[in-house]
Amino acid sequence: MSVSSQDQMTQQDQFLTQLLSECQKRSVTEESTFSLWRQKRQQEAATTVANSRMPHRKDEEWRFTDLSPLLEYQYQKSHSFDISSQAVDAFNIPEATTRLVFINGYYSPTLSQVENLPAGVKVGNLAALEAKEKSKVTDYLTQQEGGEELFTALNTAGFDDAAVVWVAKNTEVETPIHLLFLSVGEEKPSLIQPRCLVIAETSAKVNFIEQYASFSATDAASYFNNPVTEVWVEANAEVNHIRLQQEALNSFQIAKTAVTQAQDSRYACYPVSMGGRLARLDFDVFQTGTQTDTRLYGLTLGNGEQLLDTHSAIAFRHPHSSADQLQKNILDDNGRAVFNGKVFVPQKAQLTDASQLNRNLLLSDKAHVDTKPELNITADNVQCAHGATVSQLEADELFYLRSRGLDSQAASNLLINAFAAEIIKEIPFKSVREGLYSSLQNRFLG
């Protein structure tokens, strides 16, 4: 190992040690059975972090994602802020009558709206749960597979509170639940660690919108957001999940979403990534029963110097299940995207029906994408397909549109909109769709 490599490893070790020290600064002092359980889980996670090292590009899972910019700052644990309700209304989603608001990971009851929920539906923050509810939460919170991964363990070691959505069996929630995680940049670089837990019990149905957005001043320091979301979809339940990542462009987000689906369940997610200097989403789905269906329709919008990374894994474990994944990336300027999608179909997952496609549209010569769809199949009676395309705006399509009277800009706008619309049109809420089309307009269209 060269001296420079040793220096780099030392820097990374120091960075990780400092992060762990910051996230262990507790603001929760409650003493209860639940608190003792949580302290034990958090200490276990802290030990995992302490025994880990920062990933780097020699690691296959991080080959295309250079974390060096993240290490440029020394982060301090974030603080809570007061924000006016009028300011938060800018993030209002009209279809959602229930809203949980967290500022830098801290719950804001005054900005949240959790009244008039149907019987059997619990929406609130972890700290406010009743003792019997906290006892039941221990069956789910921090129990997803992959909890030992570095950044997930870092979150587990340090989160103070969590958003909780719990839908009892045979209960349907018609309107979406909005989980708004606002990040406020401070004078010094800050570390933010939101946590989210969603449980749909047997035959329940729920739609939720998980939104990460910035409320930083223009001169605010960079921040590092490290959120973790756990979703449990029990037998015959249905969950529709829209995930919007709109962090500040000088920020970093390394996020984890883990989903466990039981027999006959249905889970659909629409992850949209457009913010952050460097943002990565690790998305794992574990199918633990037969006749389980998973739909992932993702969209990434990147420009400037952004690097936006999506890593997904769908693990089949029983026969007669299905999954459909379409990930689209649109990149301009020096924007970069990474897509690595894995589908695991073991021998016992016979009669699996799975498809995965990654399509990329590059609007500049300097935009770049690294795509790596993977099917890992050992079962012999399955229907599985995957593929990836990288393209620019087609000259013949532009020519055709211009021959119909459109100018060059209008023709380009139409093609970019059409490319993104295949994802956006699937999102079941009009205001979210309109917001995304507006983002397209601001980012790429003239």
Side-chain angles (χ1 to χ4, degrees):
M1 180 180 292
S2 66
V3 174
S4 59
S5 296
Q6 289 176 336
D7 290 343
Q8 186 179 40
M9 291 298 292
T10 300
Q11 180 193 13
Q12 292 175 348
D13 291 342
Q14 291 174 344
F15 176 83
L16 200 53
T17 300
Q18 192 268 334
L19 271 187
L20 182 59
S21 174
E22 286 297 318
C23 78
Q24 287 185 298
K25 293 179 178 177
R26 299 275 178 248
S27 61
V28 177
T29 57
E30 175 193 8
E31 291 188 4
S32 64
T33 301
F34 174 78
S35 179
L36 294 174
W37 170 86
R38 176 170 158 174
Q39 288 172 25
K40 180 174 181 295
R41 292 292 298 155
Q42 296 199 301
Q43 185 53 54
E44 291 170 348
T47 300
T48 298
V49 175
N51 292 330
S52 302
R53 61 169 175 78
M54 282 290 290
H56 52 69
R57 298 186 67 180
K58 291 183 178 179
D59 297 316
E60 180 62 26
E61 292 298 308
W62 294 85
R63 186 153 64 100
F64 302 115
T65 305
D66 182 8
L67 290 176
S68 298
L70 180 69
L71 276 61
E72 294 174 0
Y73 304 94
Q74 184 169 342
Y75 300 95
Q76 299 181 358
K77 186 171 183 176
S78 62
H79 300 88
S80 180
F81 286 86
D82 291 328
I83 295 178
S84 70
S85 58
Q86 292 81 5
V88 173
D89 283 345
F91 303 95
N92 183 49
I93 294 178
E95 295 92 334
T97 56
T98 301
R99 182 175 70 187
L100 280 186
V101 179
F102 285 74
I103 311 294
N104 283 0
Y106 300 94
Y107 178 58
S108 174
T110 58
L111 298 175
S112 300
Q113 301 169 0
V114 292
E115 299 82 13
N116 303 317
L117 289 166
V121 180
K122 180 72 179 185
V123 179
N125 64 314
L126 178 66
L129 293 181
E130 297 175 3
K132 62 180 182 181
E133 295 171 329
K134 288 180 177 177
S135 177
K136 292 176 65 177
V137 157
T138 58
D139 291 337
Y140 300 95
L141 187 64
T142 73
Q143 301 302 316
Q144 291 277 3
E145 295 183 44
E148 74 286 352
E149 294 167 8
L150 173 59
F151 292 103
T152 303
L154 185 68
N155 180 292
T156 300
F159 74 90
D160 286 320
D161 206 344
V164 178
V165 176
W166 199 322
V167 184
K169 64 180 181 180
N170 300 319
T171 302
E172 293 190 7
V173 186
E174 295 295 336
T175 56
I177 295 166
H178 185 196
L179 309 178
L180 178 58
F181 299 93
L182 286 177
S183 300
V184 181
E186 304 181 36
E187 291 185 0
K188 297 181 179 179
S190 55
L191 170 65
I192 304 169
Q193 299 212 102
R195 191 86 179 198
C196 180
L197 176 66
V198 176
I199 303 163
E201 293 187 352
T202 302
S203 299
K205 179 179 178 181
V206 63
N207 306 305
F208 75 99
I209 301 166
E210 179 188 14
Q211 183 178 18
Y212 296 89
S214 172
F215 200 75
S216 298
T218 54
D219 60 348
S222 174
Y223 61 84
F224 171 29
N225 198 354
N226 181 40
V228 172
T229 297
E230 300 173 280
V231 182
W232 298 86
V233 193
E234 298 192 343
N236 195 42
E238 178 176 337
V239 172
N240 295 301
H241 176 190
I242 294 96
R243 186 183 193 279
L244 305 174
Q245 187 276 100
Q246 301 163 307
E247 302 282 11
L249 292 177
N250 69 340
S251 71
F252 301 88
Q253 184 184 102
I254 297 179
K256 174 65 177 288
T257 296
V259 182
T260 294
Q261 292 185 248
Q263 179 176 345
D264 296 313
S265 65
R266 299 162 301 283
Y267 173 77
C269 186
Y270 311 87
V272 179
S273 179
M274 65 179 81
R277 175 181 173 185
L278 187 160
R280 169 161 167 151
L281 172 62
D282 280 276
F283 205 121
D284 294 342
V285 179
F286 305 99
Q287 293 193 353
T288 61
T290 61
Q291 302 188 72
T292 302
D293 184 64
T294 305
R295 309 278 158 172
L296 302 180
Y297 302 121
L299 179 65
T300 293
L301 309 177
N303 61 353
E305 302 290 335
Q306 289 183 282
L307 169 56
L308 303 172
D309 182 351
T310 301
H311 270 59
S312 68
I314 302 174
F316 290 87
R317 290 174 178 171
H318 297 269
H320 300 285
S321 293
S322 59
D324 184 25
Q325 181 176 21
L326 174 60
Q327 173 69 36
K328 286 196 164 187
N329 302 321
I330 304 176
L331 301 167
D332 200 358
D333 305 325
N334 290 311
R336 287 191 57 209
V338 179
F339 174 72
N340 183 196
K342 299 176 182 176
V343 177
F344 297 96
V345 187
Q347 180 64 28
K348 61 184 177 182
Q350 299 293 337
L351 299 172
T352 289
D353 184 353
S355 66
Q356 179 188 72
L357 178 61
N358 172 222
R359 296 187 62 196
N360 302 278
L361 180 60
L362 307 184
L363 302 178
S364 81
D365 293 337
K366 295 182 179 179
H368 182 87
V369 63
D370 294 290
T371 177
K372 190 181 176 188
E374 297 180 45
L375 289 180
N376 188 330
I377 304 173
T378 54
D380 48 19
N381 187 10
V382 299
Q383 291 187 357
C384 295
H386 71 160
T389 64
V390 180
S391 62
Q392 298 178 322
L393 294 176
E394 296 290 342
D396 56 344
E397 293 176 346
L398 289 169
F399 176 80
Y400 174 82
L401 293 173
R402 295 193 66 184
S403 71
R404 294 297 185 270
L406 297 180
D407 61 30
S408 177
Q409 188 63 61
S412 298
N413 293 351
L414 189 62
L415 291 176
I416 295 170
N417 258 316
F419 183 86
E422 193 175 359
I423 298 293
I424 296 175
K425 72 179 183 181
E426 297 291 334
I427 295 175
F429 305 111
K430 180 181 178 182
S431 66
V432 178
R433 293 195 300 271
E434 291 178 344
L436 291 175
Y437 282 122
S438 177
S439 296
L440 267 180
Q441 180 73 39
N442 295 332
R443 285 290 185 99
F444 306 120
L445 309 184

